[in-house]
Amino acid sequence: MIQLSVHILLQLFTLYCSLRGSILAGTIPAKGEEDFLTLAASRLSRRKRVIGAAVGIPGPPGARGPPGEPGKPGPQGPPGPGPGGYAPSLYTPKIAFYAGLRKQHEGSEILKFDDVVTNVGNYYEPTTGKFTCPLPGIYFFTYHVLMRGGDGTSMWADLKKNGQVRASAIAQDADQNYDYASNSVILHLDVGDEVCVQLDGGKVHGGNTNKYSTFSGFLIYPD
């Protein structure tokens, strides 16, 4: 503030000298001391207005301008579902089970794998030995059945879908006490379809909690 006042006084003195010189030279007619001071004050006021415009307080923001031009189109997205493209679902249901056989079985009956280790979704029922499909799609199943031999007999175990055989396995007692029968399948299931393993002859070793005989399956992908 002090520097600004000194600056104004210097300008006033410079104007005074300039106007005084002009009057003495005859370029500005003398009109008296009061007219001289009025002229000097007028010129100084104009300069002060210019200086004030440069260092004054900013005014309020102006009105909002018109919207800009639209941006460029974005890149092409991935192909959607249908012919020529596949888009996986954002939600993938979790369906899986794995169970072992505790008790001995023989003859012809559905094997009830009652030692359940994994049963995501609870769609495998250990009391019936059946998996019931809750969602249409492609499923994988596998089973391993240990034959209880020693008497020269053989054992057959079939994986069935709705009572129809979809995979079979056989174990023969060739001077051995135990042998394995196993197989795997990939099936398309609809809602309500049932999958199980059925013994069609021979004897199966349960193994209590050792899980010598097992049955498992899971959803690969839904329709």
Side-chain angles (χ1 to χ4, degrees):
M1 196 68 180
I2 296 176
Q3 291 180 350
L4 184 60
S5 299
V6 173
H7 182 68
I8 293 174
L9 290 174
L10 289 175
Q11 287 190 344
L12 180 60
F13 178 74
T14 302
L15 284 172
Y16 172 81
C17 294
S18 175
L19 292 173
R20 191 75 174 174
S22 298
I23 292 173
L24 294 175
T27 57
I28 298 178
K31 295 183 179 181
E33 190 70 19
E34 292 182 0
D35 292 337
F36 171 74
L37 292 175
T38 301
L39 181 61
S42 176
R43 292 191 178 183
L44 179 60
S45 178
R46 276 200 308 271
R47 292 197 179 188
K48 288 172 64 179
R49 286 197 298 270
V50 173
I51 295 174
V55 297
I57 299 175
R64 185 171 182 175
E69 295 294 329
K72 296 181 180 180
Q76 184 178 359
Y86 172 74
S89 172
L90 296 178
Y91 169 70
T92 301
K94 298 176 175 60
I95 302 172
F97 73 94
Y98 166 61
L101 196 66
R102 292 177 183 269
K103 300 177 181 179
Q104 314 287 348
H105 290 72
E106 62 179 274
S108 178
E109 59 177 321
I110 294 176
L111 298 179
K112 299 176 180 62
F113 296 85
D114 51 357
D115 186 8
V116 178
V117 179
T118 302
N119 197 5
V120 180
N122 293 318
Y123 300 112
Y124 171 74
E125 177 51 60
T127 59
T128 63
K130 294 180 179 181
F131 169 83
T132 303
C133 174
L135 184 73
I138 301 298
Y139 290 78
F140 174 83
F141 298 95
T142 186
Y143 65 99
H144 306 277
V145 180
L146 180 62
M147 180 188 70
R148 181 166 53 92
D151 54 2
T153 61
S154 299
M155 180 198 70
W156 294 265
D158 301 325
L159 186 142
K160 293 186 175 182
K161 170 188 171 183
N162 298 332
Q164 296 181 342
V165 177
R166 290 293 178 262
S168 297
I170 185 173
Q172 293 182 331
D173 182 11
D175 298 327
Q176 298 180 15
N177 290 329
Y178 298 98
D179 194 10
Y180 264 108
S182 61
N183 212 333
S184 301
V185 294
I186 295 176
L187 298 175
H188 178 272
L189 301 182
D190 291 315
V191 175
D193 286 347
E194 295 179 339
V195 177
C196 65
V197 177
Q198 181 165 347
L199 182 66
D200 287 335
K203 300 177 182 179
V204 177
H205 183 69
N208 296 322
T209 60
N210 294 323
K211 301 174 186 62
Y212 294 127
S213 300
T214 61
F215 179 35
S216 59
F218 57 87
L219 171 68
I220 299 176
Y221 58 85
D223 286 351

